[in-house]
């Protein structure tokens, strides 16, 4: 007997941790508490299905079709249009205990009929039921209900549709009513925890028949385009390419670039040894964004917000002022205090929360304290990919850009600026060069620079030697 | 197709007017002249449970609503879109369409007392 085939859901990251997708033609149970993203997962499963040419049916027990459509509109999903185009059926199943009396034996045949009708209407390949808990609240005779749901799962299998069924977690088992007993093929658990005053969403594949699925918990975020399960290196190259220049905050550097700044949505790595001024460049970039009235998220991994503000005030950058104005948000924590995935989650969540125009990660080097090199690369790729998709312009700082040789990451980083301290006789002088600035006819000169109360001053070329 | 059972044509229900049983609801007497109870029973094919529900319903109506009710039996296998339109999930479901508000009673209607309460023919105690 051949193993299960997988139905790629199209949900970012989920297919990776399920070894290629949910079991095709089978039922997947998605369990979780209130507000953990069950409805969104079920809905996205259908929306992504339509994108792949697979029509879908959503039996919604908790929200009306209108409410659902309104809730996901911000993610760019137009459920009304999908329905009008005959690619999706949303059937709101209203079972209101207030209007229902019970007497004697019953079955759920009417629900089967409704579902069958909807499946036939659009030729659905995907079905989602969200959430079965409502039936337990509305109907008597739990034993009868459970046996009917067991029949429903078998019926769905017989229909050959790939289905996602959501249920509340609780009661010491995966789902409150033990429905996982009836779903042999795939069980996924969602979790929304708050620890260290930080909310973290996690997903875990509890059971997946015939597969070497990843068993860990993975953080996920509900981003601008839906679900995103984090530790995955699947990234696309479909980012928009803006020609809008975002000033670097250093006039001399803008001039060296020839375009007046970094391209919007690009990612710049400022690297250099300790004490070369990486943070100052990052802070100048943040300061410039705020002076234009833009929002900046500054992820500080070595200094507290107060330290950063104090240190930068010595070079004429008033970060505290922008913090007060609400334009600059400094989120300071040490990577070692958090798990690797938590860390990425934090970046995601801060971006979602603050909706910045520019982002600084200072430094990304500290991520190496968190784990193996492979993980770090994957993590940074995810961050870069995410920021680019949002068209956020980002500056990372890095100690001696240890990632420079990595072709995959290097291809994602648009610009490299390298800072150095050059010994010249008895003096050490600061200098920089642009190793790469994608899409710009930038200077190839090594330039000296000085830090003063007025900021960063790029000097005339100190050496004509090309890098 | 739809099996309609207006009382007028029902061989069993010959007695005119409401039967005044001991526990007859005041609601009936208070209501403006002949109120009609429009009932629908949703079934899916011919099953023993559905047959039992219909038999129970007919008996209860004859005893308490003679001459004042109509029963429409809807087979959802034939009219599946009504399951969606009328928000039916379970079989059998009895729907009191009139008088309003609409009420639903799920099950084989084996407990007469509960049916009477569900239909508002007997005040809930």
């Amino acid at each position: 007997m051949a193993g299960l085939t997988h139905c790629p859901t199209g949900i970012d990251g989920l297919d990776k941790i399920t070894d290629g997708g949910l079991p095709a033609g089978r039922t997947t149970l998605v369990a979780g508490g209130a507000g953990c993203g069950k409805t969104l997962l079920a809905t996205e499963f259908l929306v992504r299905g339509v994108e792949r040419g697979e029509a879908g049916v959503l039996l919604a027990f908790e929200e009306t079709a209108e409410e659902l459509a309104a809730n996901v509109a911000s993610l760019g999903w137009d459920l009304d249009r999908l329905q009008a185009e005959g690619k999706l059926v949303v059937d709101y199943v209203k079972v209101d205990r207030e209007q229902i009396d019970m007497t004697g034996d019953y079955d759920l045949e009417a629900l089967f009929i409704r579902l069958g009708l909807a499946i036939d209407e659009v030729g659905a390949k995907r079905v989602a039921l969200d959430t079965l808990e409502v039936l337990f609240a509305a109907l008597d005779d739990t034993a009868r209900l459970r046996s009917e749901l067991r029949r429903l799962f078998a019926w769905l299998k017989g229909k050959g549709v790939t289905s996602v069924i959501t249920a509340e977690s609780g009661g010491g088992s995966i789902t409150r009513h033990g429905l996982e007993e009836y779903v042999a093929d795939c069980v996924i658990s969602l979790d929304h925890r708050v620890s260290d005053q930080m909310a973290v969403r996690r997903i875990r594949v509890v059971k997946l028949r015939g597969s070497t699925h990843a068993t860990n918990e993975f953080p996920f975020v509900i981003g601008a385009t839906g679900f995103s399960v984090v530790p995955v290196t699947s990234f696309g190259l479909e980012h928009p390419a803006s020609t809008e220049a975002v000033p670097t905050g250093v006039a001399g550097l803008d001039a060296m670039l020839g375009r007046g700044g970094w391209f919007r949505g690009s990612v710049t790595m400022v690297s250099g040894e300790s004490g070369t001024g990486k943070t100052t460049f990052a802070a100048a970039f943040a300061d410039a964004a705020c002076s234009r009235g833009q929002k900046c998220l500054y992820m500080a991994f070595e200094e507290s917000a107060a330290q950063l503000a104090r240190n930068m005030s010595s070079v004429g950058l008033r970060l505290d002022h922008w913090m007060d104005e609400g334009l600059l948000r400094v989120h300071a924590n040490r990577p070692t205090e958090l798990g690797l995935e938590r860390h990425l989650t934090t970046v995601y969540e801060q971006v979602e929360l603050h909706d910045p125009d520019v982002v600084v990660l200072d430094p990304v080097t500290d991520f190496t304290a968190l784990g193996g090199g492979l993980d770090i690369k994957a993590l940074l790729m995810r961050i870069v990919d995410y920021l680019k998709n949002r068209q956020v312009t980002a500056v990372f700082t890095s100690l001696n850009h240890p990632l420079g040789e990595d072709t995959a990451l290097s291809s994602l980083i648009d610009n490299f600026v390298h800072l150095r301290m050059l010994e010249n006789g008895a003096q050490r002088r600061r200098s920089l060069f642009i190793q790469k600035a994608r899409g710009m006819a930038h200077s190839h000169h090594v330039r000296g620079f000085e830090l003063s109360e007025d900021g960063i001053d790029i000097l005339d070329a100190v050496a004509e030697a090309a890098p | 197709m739809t099996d309609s059972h207006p009382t007028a044509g029902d061989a069993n229900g010959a007695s005119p007017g409401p039967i005044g049983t001991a526990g007859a609801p005041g609601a009936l007497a208070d209501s403006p002249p002949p109120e009609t109870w429009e009932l629908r029973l949703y079934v899916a094919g011919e099953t023993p449970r559905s047959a039992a529900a219909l038999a129970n319903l007919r008996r209860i109506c004859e005893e308490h609503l003679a001459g004042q009710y109509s029963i429409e039996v809807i087979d959802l296998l034939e009219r599946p879109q009504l399951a969606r339109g009328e928000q039916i999930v379970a079989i059998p479901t009895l729907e009191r369409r009139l008088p309003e508000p609409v009420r639903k009673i799920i099950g084989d209607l084996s407990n007469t007392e509960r049916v009477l309460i569900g239909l508002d023919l007997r005040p809930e105690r």
Side-chain angles (χ1 to χ4, degrees), chain A residues 91-95 98-111 113-114 117-118 121 139 144, chain B residues 44 49 76-77 80-81 83-84 87-92 103-111 114-115 118:
Chain A
D91 181 8
Y92 168 52
V93 181
K94 183 183 176 191
V95 275
E98 294 294 303
Q99 295 179 4
I100 293 175
D101 285 283
M102 308 281 303
T103 163
D105 209 6
Y106 67 92
D107 61 47
L108 290 183
E109 196 62 32
L111 190 67
I113 290 171
R114 271 168 96 154
L117 173 70
E121 277 175 352
L139 303 179
R144 162 60 68 183
Chain B
R49 195 181 294 136
L76 293 177
L77 291 178
Q81 61 286 0
R84 186 185 299 167
Q87 289 290 3
I88 308 299
V89 292
I91 292 295
R103 297 282 308 171
K104 289 183 179 127
I105 304 174
I106 289 172
D108 60 15
L109 311 180
S110 52
N111 183 331
R114 292 229 39 102
V115 175

Side-chain angles (χ1 to χ4, degrees), chain A residues 129-428:
Chain A
L129 277 72
D130 177 57
T131 164
L132 293 177
E133 234 59 35
V134 172
L135 289 175
F136 285 95
L139 303 179
D140 292 347
D141 196 348
T142 304
R144 162 60 68 183
L145 194 47
R146 280 166 54 99
S147 81
E148 280 299 286
L149 292 179
R150 179 181 214 157
R151 193 163 70 90
L152 175 68
F153 297 157
W155 181 85
L156 283 168
K157 201 166 170 177
K159 279 275 179 186
V161 294
T162 306
S163 52
V164 165
I165 290 175
T166 68
E168 291 282 329
S169 57
S173 60
I174 296 170
T175 62
R176 189 177 296 159
H177 296 281
L179 296 178
E180 62 273 15
E181 286 172 34
Y182 304 148
V183 177
D185 297 308
C186 185
V187 177
I188 289 174
S189 166
L190 301 181
D191 187 18
H192 191 197
R193 263 174 287 183
V194 177
S195 57
D196 302 337
Q197 293 156 5
M198 199 167 65
V200 182
R201 297 177 185 276
R202 287 185 180 258
I203 184 168
R204 185 163 64 99
V205 180
V206 180
K207 176 157 80 172
L208 180 53
R209 178 174 281 183
S211 168
T212 55
H213 68 92
T215 50
N216 293 333
E217 284 192 315
F218 296 100
F220 71 92
V221 293
I222 295 170
T225 55
F227 247 72
S228 196
V229 180
V230 168
V232 179
T233 56
S234 58
F235 54 92
L237 283 174
E238 288 135 37
H239 317 116
S242 172
T243 53
E244 181 189 332
V246 179
T248 64
V250 180
L253 187 54
D254 288 346
M256 285 176 77
L257 289 167
R259 293 293 290 258
W262 311 118
F263 284 131
R264 179 166 173 234
S266 68
V267 172
T268 299
M269 185 78 85
V270 178
S271 65
E273 287 173 19
S274 181
T276 48
K278 299 183 296 294
T279 294
T280 311
F281 274 85
F285 174 68
D287 177 76
C290 294
S291 344
R292 296 190 304 273
Q294 293 190 317
K295 285 193 284 184
C296 175
L297 171 66
Y298 197 116
M299 302 290 292
F301 301 129
E302 286 184 338
E303 296 172 292
S304 70
Q307 274 178 312
L308 183 70
R310 182 200 62 198
N311 296 348
M312 289 304 115
S313 70
S314 69
V315 288
L317 300 172
R318 298 304 308 273
L319 298 187
D320 47 353
H321 171 68
W322 301 126
M323 287 185 228
D324 292 344
E325 296 240 315
L327 287 172
L328 175 64
R329 177 172 172 83
V330 177
H331 188 88
N333 57 25
R334 287 194 185 279
T336 45
E337 289 171 2
L338 304 169
L340 183 64
E341 293 146 357
R342 274 274 290 289
H343 221 292
L344 180 49
T345 312
T346 309
V347 176
Y348 274 17
E349 286 179 347
Q350 289 297 319
V351 171
E352 294 291 332
L353 203 66
H354 197 50
D355 192 24
D357 301 286
V358 306
V359 166
V360 172
L361 265 62
D362 178 31
V364 296
T365 326
D366 280 18
F367 285 110
T368 50
L370 296 172
L374 215 69
D375 290 346
I376 304 301
K377 283 171 202 159
L379 174 77
L380 279 175
M381 279 178 181
R382 295 295 303 160
I383 293 179
V384 168
D385 191 48
Y386 173 69
L387 295 176
K388 281 175 179 265
N389 272 323
R390 285 186 73 104
Q391 282 290 284
V392 168
T393 313
V395 167
F396 300 171
T397 68
S398 163
L399 196 64
N400 280 338
H401 64 90
L403 309 148
E405 321 83 58
D406 186 312
T407 47
L409 184 64
S410 169
S411 69
L412 275 176
I413 304 276
D414 300 287
N415 316 305
F416 272 103
V417 177
H418 194 56
L419 310 182
R420 291 192 296 192
M421 285 287 226
L422 290 181
E423 283 182 33
N424 190 353
Q427 274 194 315
R428 276 158 58 87

Side-chain angles (χ1 to χ4, degrees), chain A residues 48-65:
Chain A
R48 300 294 173 220
V50 170
E51 286 172 2
R52 286 156 184 261
E54 297 182 357
V57 168
L58 175 59
L59 234 50
F61 291 85
E62 288 186 310
E63 294 165 295
T64 66

